[in-house]
Amino acid sequence: FYIFSGFFEEIDEETIKNLKNKDMLNEVLNEVSEEIPNIKKALIDERDEYIALKILEKYREGKKIVAVIGAGHLEGVKNIIEENLIKETFAHRKTELEKIPQKRSKAKIIAYVIPIFFISLVIYGFYSKGLNFTLNILIAWTLINGTLSALGVVFALGHPFSVLTAFAAAPITSLNPALAAGWFAGLTEAKMRMPKVKDFEDLSKLNRLRDYWKNNITRILLVVAFANVGSVIGTFVALPYLLSLF
């Protein structure tokens, strides 16, 4: 709660001082661990482990070490060092942490199939059917893709501007594997209905499905998700329809 509320409220010196307190720091880290364990693992746990293993590496080389680390990493690094002082396999784990995941080339190729196919249809339509036919293809693509993405935002009870954003973005983002209509709709939703501290406090009180539509934070996530789903459906509805026009 303390971490996320900082994005929406000013943090005074007293709050910063409290966060440096060991008990308060542990409370914050425990809360992050409960609410978003995957993020804590990547941003804190794995960093703790890597820092500790680097220190151990230099220690076993017989070097004197002075390590300056953030307060949030202190306890974790200390515990890992104490555990690994009696182990001989820490080097293998360090290698694992340093390994960069390989890019999934197949997934990347598949992601570009749809835009290449659509552009090919447009070019073929222009040369075989003329300008008016090409314009009809573009209009149909925009209406189908944009409308279904916008309907997704409506289902998420998004702000009207978020609906319009999804409609405008979906026909374009569907042709760019690096973008998604939901991102733009979600940003608009966050801007128009900025989450308050109370929304963060109420996250633990989301007991019923409909509660997710009432909380400004979870509604943003719903807008992102349903806008993207609508855009995907729109893509797979639009392409067969465009083919039927030839």
Side-chain angles (χ1 to χ4, degrees):
F1 165 72
Y2 294 102
I3 291 176
F4 294 115
S5 64
F7 288 109
F8 304 98
E9 291 186 352
E10 291 187 6
I11 299 178
D12 55 25
E13 292 184 10
E14 185 65 25
T15 302
I16 295 174
K17 186 177 180 180
N18 288 336
L19 285 172
K20 292 180 180 179
N21 179 276
K22 184 176 179 181
D23 293 336
M24 178 69 75
L25 191 59
N26 288 335
E27 180 184 339
V28 172
L29 293 177
N30 289 335
E31 188 169 343
V32 172
S33 179
E34 292 175 3
E35 298 294 336
I36 41 177
N38 289 336
I39 292 180
K40 180 178 181 291
K41 179 182 177 183
L43 296 183
I44 299 176
D45 295 343
E46 289 187 353
R47 287 189 177 191
D48 288 351
E49 196 171 1
Y50 186 74
I51 293 169
L53 295 179
K54 287 290 286 185
I55 292 173
L56 281 169
E57 182 180 58
K58 299 301 179 184
Y59 172 77
R60 295 202 172 188
E61 292 175 1
K63 297 180 180 179
K64 293 183 179 180
I65 308 155
V66 176
V68 181
I69 59 177
H73 293 287
L74 182 59
E75 195 67 25
V77 170
K78 178 184 174 183
N79 291 336
I80 294 169
I81 288 176
E82 291 174 349
E83 291 173 6
N84 282 274
L85 277 174
I86 58 174
K87 295 181 181 178
E88 297 294 336
T89 59
F90 72 92
H92 175 69
R93 177 56 181 158
K94 177 175 165 290
T95 302
E96 289 181 353
L97 291 171
E98 290 177 337
K99 186 177 180 181
I100 300 175
Q102 293 183 348
K103 294 181 179 180
R104 294 179 292 180
S105 56
K106 290 183 179 179
K108 191 173 182 180
I109 292 172
I110 293 173
Y112 282 96
V113 168
I114 290 175
I116 291 173
F117 182 68
F118 175 77
I119 293 171
S120 299
L121 280 180
V122 172
I123 294 173
Y124 177 74
F126 178 75
Y127 282 104
S128 63
K129 302 285 187 178
L131 178 60
N132 288 336
F133 181 81
T134 304
L135 291 176
N136 288 334
I137 287 179
L138 295 175
I139 291 171
W141 172 263
T142 300
L143 289 177
I144 295 173
N145 210 311
T147 299
L148 288 176
S149 184
L151 286 175
V153 179
V154 171
F155 182 74
L157 301 182
H159 191 278
F161 282 167
S162 303
V163 176
L164 292 174
T165 300
F167 179 84
I172 300 171
T173 57
S174 295
L175 301 175
N176 190 329
L179 299 175
W183 299 352
F184 295 94
L187 285 172
T188 303
E189 186 70 21
K191 183 70 175 177
M192 303 309 299
R193 291 170 173 163
M194 185 173 290
K196 298 179 175 59
V197 172
K198 188 177 185 304
D199 293 309
F200 287 99
E201 293 175 336
D202 290 344
L203 286 175
S204 59
K205 303 175 184 177
L206 301 175
N207 299 319
R208 296 170 298 180
L209 186 61
R210 64 183 180 182
D211 292 339
Y212 288 83
W213 272 260
K214 296 179 180 179
N215 186 289
N216 284 337
I217 297 170
T218 51
R219 190 192 293 116
I220 291 172
L221 299 178
L222 290 173
V223 166
V224 172
F226 287 121
N228 286 338
V229 170
S231 181
V232 170
I233 294 173
T235 298
F236 287 99
V237 169
L239 288 177
Y241 174 74
L242 296 181
L243 280 173
S244 70
L245 297 178
F246 286 88

